[in-house]
Amino acid sequence: MAEVRLGENESIDSALRRFKKKIQKAGILSEVKRRERYEKPSLRRKRKAADVGRSDRYLRLTN
């Protein structure tokens, strides 16, 4: 679970910004959005295969 402690003399806005960054980095928001609706197992396999293909393409471009 993402946790942010408010520092001394720290504004709520900056703490909220740090919290948002933390949950984005942890992938919590994307996980919540993904779980909003039921995903059929066949569609889950297709999505995972597309994710793998996308990361393979990225790795080929960077190397």
Side-chain angles (χ1 to χ4, degrees):
M1 184 76 186
E3 183 179 304
V4 174
R5 294 182 189 245
L6 197 60
E8 200 171 313
N9 296 328
E10 183 181 20
S11 70
I12 299 286
D13 292 332
S14 65
L16 186 60
R17 216 172 310 133
R18 283 192 303 127
F19 178 72
K20 286 180 180 180
K21 240 185 245 183
K22 251 187 186 176
I23 62 172
Q24 178 105 25
K25 198 175 233 183
I28 295 172
L29 281 181
S30 59
E31 181 73 17
V32 168
K33 286 180 182 177
R34 188 177 68 78
R35 290 179 182 237
E36 278 181 341
R37 293 177 194 84
Y38 177 73
E39 186 176 25
K40 289 178 13 180
S42 60
L43 294 176
R44 188 179 309 144
R45 281 191 297 273
K46 280 184 183 179
R47 183 182 46 81
K48 283 186 178 183
D51 289 346
V52 168
R54 195 175 304 119
S55 67
D56 283 349
R57 259 183 274 133
Y58 174 75
L59 289 174
R60 273 187 266 144
L61 290 175
T62 57
N63 289 332

